[in-house]
């Protein structure tokens, strides 16, 4: 959604990096470009004016003029101001002291309230809560049925005593749901209210009546991030008519310009609490202003990437796989398939790569990434026998033809997969034995320590007699000594330097030493 804004800001900052000092003219030109970029992104005009004024004031201060890298300092200022516009810090849900906590959803029809109710319920269930969805949208056709289906997919309970389609009193349903939640021991109640195609008094009155009947702990205004400037006027109308405590942005994965996300919080003064980034129920999370600002400025979102990995990967399984990676040989196609499926469960590969810093400059390449390539690789591996997965070296001509027919690909694709797997296996072995893999045992440090230890064992004394004793196996006596030698070792066997040879017939083994 923020691709256009991100591209414009990135190009603005790239022109600054070549300058060691920033003059007032440079700052004015930069702020002008930032203003154009924000207006093109459909950000509300009052927000743009305030934002640019703050950036210009700080850019002309001492923190930029005395900085070693003024361009980076300007980027930091813009990042800080973006975070402030987006809300400053993450706002968490307020839970009631005495359950259940009541959350009421309000917004225009088509904003995605019903689907978002299921996403929020699933997200809360993962936080070890027991949410209850309440079908209080009794006007829209099949709204009750839709909520029931969404609740089933999310794995949560639903309270729908009325059939809907214009039948029933939504205020009474909302009021009764609180007692039902207490009896069934649900600690959170999420009320899905009706929406309209526009702002009208009947809609506002019904939402206000539900609010007065249940006294919700949180009233969340659901706004479609793709409607642009109209999101601000709609939010202001809801603020005056019903009131709300936080904003939820839906359809952030769309291709609209995204100005609503940067405008709603500043105009209403209410924080953005959640964001929906896709059609699936799992495409939902708390809204983090600092991470969103980092994405807009093409600085990546590593924290979210780490959180997604922690949800997907099992710690014991990751430790087991790390051991195989360090050995190189133990890593099989079966392990490769397992790891690939774990990465696939984290979401689309394009989205994962997009969270890496600097990926905005490779957007064309990212757009060419197709998750179906992973599906083809999985089909090839699954068409192999267990023995072939464990030892790909046995995959010869006839086997490759069979695998290609079974997976619906060409023999060339099977060959490429096997060759790339062998190359990856060799690379992992080199990294484990030579360079080392960060965070894994062994590697370069272990190799250096082993070399030092071996060098210590090979030390030779500067005294030629001691050196000769060492070479001859000094210290071996009794059963461990060579025949014809005693405590002095192999003296006289040509082991001493010239001039120190023993006389002919001299046998040191006949000497008796104390303790013998």
């Amino acid at each position: 959604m923020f691709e256009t804004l991100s591209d414009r800001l990135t190009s603005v900052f790239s022109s600054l990096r070549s300058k060691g000092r920033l003059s007032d003219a440079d700052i004015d030109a930069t702020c002008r470009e930032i203003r154009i970029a924000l207006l093109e992104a459909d950000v509300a005009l009052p927000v743009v004016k305030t934002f640019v004024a703050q950036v210009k004031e700080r850019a002309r201060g001492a923190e930029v003029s005395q900085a070693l890298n003024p361009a980076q300092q300007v980027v930091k200022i813009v990042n800080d101001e973006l975070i402030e516009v987006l809300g400053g810090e993450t706002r968490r849900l307020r839970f009631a002291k005495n359950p259940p906590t009541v959350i009421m959803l309000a917004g225009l029809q088509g904003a995605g309230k019903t689907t978002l109710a299921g996403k929020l319920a699933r997200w809360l269930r993962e936080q070890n809560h027991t949410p209850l969805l309440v079908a209080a949208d009794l006007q829209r056709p099949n709204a009750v049925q839709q909520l029931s289906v969404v609740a089933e997919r999310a794995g949560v309970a639903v309270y729908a005593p009325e059939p809907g389609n214009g039948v029933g009193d939504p205020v009474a349903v909302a009021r009764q749901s609180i007692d039902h939640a207490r009896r069934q021991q649900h600690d959170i109640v999420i009320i899905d209210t009706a929406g309209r195609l526009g702002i009208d008094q009947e809609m506002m009155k019904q939402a206000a009546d539900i609010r007065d009947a249940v006294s919700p702990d949180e009233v969340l205004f659901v706004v479609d991030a793709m409607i642009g400037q109209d999101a601000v006027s709609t939010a202001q109308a809801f603020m005056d008519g019903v009131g709300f405590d936080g904003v939820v942005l839906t359809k952030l994965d769309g291709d609209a310009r995204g100005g609503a996300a940067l405008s709603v919080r500043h105009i209403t003064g209410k924080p953005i609490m959640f964001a929906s980034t896709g059609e699936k129920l799992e495409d939902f999370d708390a809204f983090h202003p600092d991470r969103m600002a980092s994405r807009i400025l093409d600085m990546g979102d590593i924290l979210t990437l780490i959180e997604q990995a922690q949800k997907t990967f099992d710690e014991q399984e990751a430790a087991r796989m790390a051991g195989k990676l360090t050995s190189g040989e133990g890593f099989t196609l079966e392990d490769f398939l397992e790891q690939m499926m774990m990465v696939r469960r984290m979401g689309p590969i394009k989205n994962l790569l997009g969270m890496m810093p600097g990926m905005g400059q490779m957007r064309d390449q990212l757009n060419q990434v197709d998750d179906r390539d992973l599906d083809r690789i999985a089909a090839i591996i699954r068409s192999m026998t267990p023995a072939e997965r464990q030892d790909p070296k046995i995959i010869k001509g006839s086997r490759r033809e069979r695998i290609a027919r079974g997976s619906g690909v060409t023999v060339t694709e099977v060959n490429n997969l096997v060759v790339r797997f062998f190359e990856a296996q060799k690379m992992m072995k080199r990294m484990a034995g030579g360079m080392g893999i960060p965070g894994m045992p062994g590697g370069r440090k272990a190799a250096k320590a082993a070399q030092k230890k071996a060098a210590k064992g090979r030390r030779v004394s500067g005294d030629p007699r001691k050196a000769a004793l060492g070479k001859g196996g000094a210290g071996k006596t009794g059963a461990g000594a060579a025949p014809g030698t005693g405590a002095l070792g192999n003296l006289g066997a040509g082991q001493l330097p010239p001039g120190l040879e023993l006389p002919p017939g001299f046998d040191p083994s006949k000497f008796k030493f104390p303790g013998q």
Side-chain angles (χ1 to χ4, degrees):
M1 171 161 285
F2 296 104
E3 287 182 1
T4 304
L5 177 60
S6 178
D7 291 342
R8 286 297 299 265
L9 292 178
T10 302
S11 63
V12 170
F13 298 140
S14 62
S15 63
L16 292 178
R17 291 193 176 97
S18 60
K19 299 184 179 181
R21 290 279 180 183
L22 294 184
S23 63
D24 287 347
D26 294 329
I27 294 173
D28 289 340
T30 301
C31 290
R32 184 167 55 251
E33 291 295 327
I34 293 174
R35 182 187 298 110
I36 294 172
L38 292 173
L39 290 173
E40 286 183 348
D42 220 4
V43 181
L45 184 59
V47 180
V48 175
K49 287 183 176 179
T50 305
F51 181 87
V52 173
Q54 290 288 341
V55 171
K56 186 178 291 188
E57 181 181 352
R58 290 184 58 184
R60 285 177 172 161
E63 59 180 316
V64 171
S65 61
Q66 297 177 5
L68 293 176
N69 192 330
Q72 288 296 330
Q73 200 65 26
V74 171
V75 174
K76 179 182 180 300
I77 291 172
V78 173
N79 182 59
D80 292 344
E81 293 302 323
L82 269 177
I83 294 173
E84 187 62 30
V85 166
L86 291 168
E89 58 185 17
T90 305
R91 159 80 152 77
R92 304 292 181 181
L93 279 174
R94 290 191 300 253
F95 295 101
K97 293 182 180 179
N98 298 316
T101 299
V102 181
I103 301 174
M104 174 180 164
L105 303 181
L108 294 178
Q109 189 178 33
K113 291 189 302 302
T114 303
T115 305
L116 187 128
K119 292 181 177 182
L120 178 59
R122 181 184 180 277
W123 185 82
L124 289 169
R125 182 174 62 82
E126 291 181 345
Q127 312 291 327
N128 299 319
H129 293 285
T130 53
L132 172 69
L133 288 177
V134 178
D137 182 0
L138 305 179
Q139 277 73 34
R140 182 167 62 88
N142 294 323
V144 175
Q145 182 181 0
Q146 180 190 356
L147 187 67
S148 301
V149 172
V150 169
E152 183 180 357
R153 288 172 53 203
V156 298
V158 62
Y159 180 72
E162 299 290 350
N165 298 325
V167 178
D169 181 8
V171 179
V173 169
R175 188 184 296 112
Q176 294 163 9
S177 68
I178 307 301
D179 296 331
H180 177 80
R182 289 195 181 101
R183 289 194 301 269
Q184 299 296 324
Q185 296 185 339
H186 294 282
D187 63 343
I188 295 179
V189 175
I190 302 173
I191 302 175
D192 177 32
T193 63
R196 293 289 186 276
L197 295 177
I199 303 296
D200 57 42
Q201 293 302 317
E202 181 185 354
M203 173 190 174
M204 289 298 181
K205 185 177 185 306
Q206 185 186 99
D209 290 343
I210 294 176
R211 179 200 63 197
D212 296 338
V214 300
S215 300
D217 300 282
E218 298 276 14
V219 179
L220 301 183
F221 174 59
V222 182
V223 59
D224 184 348
M226 298 178 68
I227 64 176
Q229 292 280 353
D230 194 42
V232 177
S233 58
T234 305
Q236 194 63 54
F238 265 90
M239 192 68 196
D240 299 336
V242 181
F244 55 84
D245 303 299
V247 178
V248 182
L249 290 175
T250 63
K251 307 178 186 177
L252 270 181
D253 58 324
D255 55 359
R257 290 174 287 184
L262 298 171
S263 306
V264 171
R265 188 265 169 190
H266 189 273
I267 297 296
T268 63
K270 299 298 180 182
I272 302 172
M273 295 178 60
F274 296 99
S276 174
T277 56
E279 296 181 358
K280 297 180 180 178
L281 291 181
E282 56 266 24
D283 297 333
F284 175 85
D285 204 353
F287 184 83
H288 302 280
D290 52 342
R291 301 183 191 181
M292 182 58 70
S294 182
R295 287 193 195 188
I296 293 173
L297 296 180
D298 195 24
M299 294 190 293
D301 188 1
I302 300 299
L303 288 177
T304 300
L305 187 60
I306 292 172
E307 288 177 359
Q308 289 188 10
Q310 288 175 338
K311 290 178 185 177
T312 306
F313 288 85
D314 179 72
E315 288 188 16
Q316 294 181 350
E317 182 64 25
R320 183 182 69 84
M321 199 57 61
K324 288 195 171 188
L325 286 172
T326 53
S327 66
E329 286 291 345
F331 190 74
T332 65
L333 279 170
E334 192 77 51
D335 301 319
F336 175 70
L337 176 63
E338 187 178 339
Q339 292 292 297
M340 190 173 67
M341 291 298 101
M342 284 187 178
V343 172
R344 187 69 193 274
R345 286 197 294 271
M346 289 175 62
I349 303 299
K350 175 185 173 183
N351 294 354
L352 298 179
L353 294 175
M355 294 181 189
M356 303 297 290
M359 282 297 173
Q361 302 171 21
M362 304 174 64
R363 193 163 287 125
D364 292 338
Q365 291 89 328
L366 286 180
N367 290 332
Q368 296 175 6
V369 175
D370 190 355
D371 287 352
R372 288 176 295 182
D373 292 336
L374 298 183
D375 295 336
R376 281 191 285 271
I377 293 174
I380 294 173
I381 297 176
R382 286 177 176 142
S383 297
M384 299 177 183
T385 64
E388 290 168 345
R389 297 181 197 179
Q390 291 294 325
D391 185 13
K393 293 178 182 178
I394 67 174
I395 303 177
K396 302 302 181 183
S398 60
R399 292 177 182 261
R400 298 189 184 198
E401 289 181 7
R402 191 203 75 242
I403 294 169
R405 288 196 303 270
S407 56
V409 299
T410 62
V411 177
T412 304
E413 291 180 85
V414 177
N415 293 340
N416 291 339
L417 172 62
V418 174
V419 170
R420 287 203 303 267
F421 177 77
F422 284 142
E423 290 176 352
Q425 208 174 42
K426 290 178 184 176
M427 183 184 70
M428 284 186 284
K429 195 188 300 184
R430 284 199 301 269
M431 290 179 69
M435 296 184 296
I437 301 175
M440 292 189 181
R444 184 179 292 172
K445 290 185 179 179
K448 285 186 177 180
Q451 289 175 1
K452 285 184 179 179
K453 190 173 182 181
K456 284 183 179 179
R458 292 196 304 268
R459 284 182 180 175
V460 180
S461 172
D463 189 337
R465 290 169 297 179
K466 290 183 179 180
L469 285 172
K471 290 178 182 178
K476 290 184 180 181
T477 60
T485 63
L488 294 180
N490 290 331
L491 295 178
Q495 300 294 326
L496 292 179
L500 294 178
E501 294 90 348
L502 296 174
F506 180 78
D507 185 4
S509 63
K510 295 182 179 179
F511 285 98
K512 291 187 178 295
F513 293 94
Q516 284 188 329

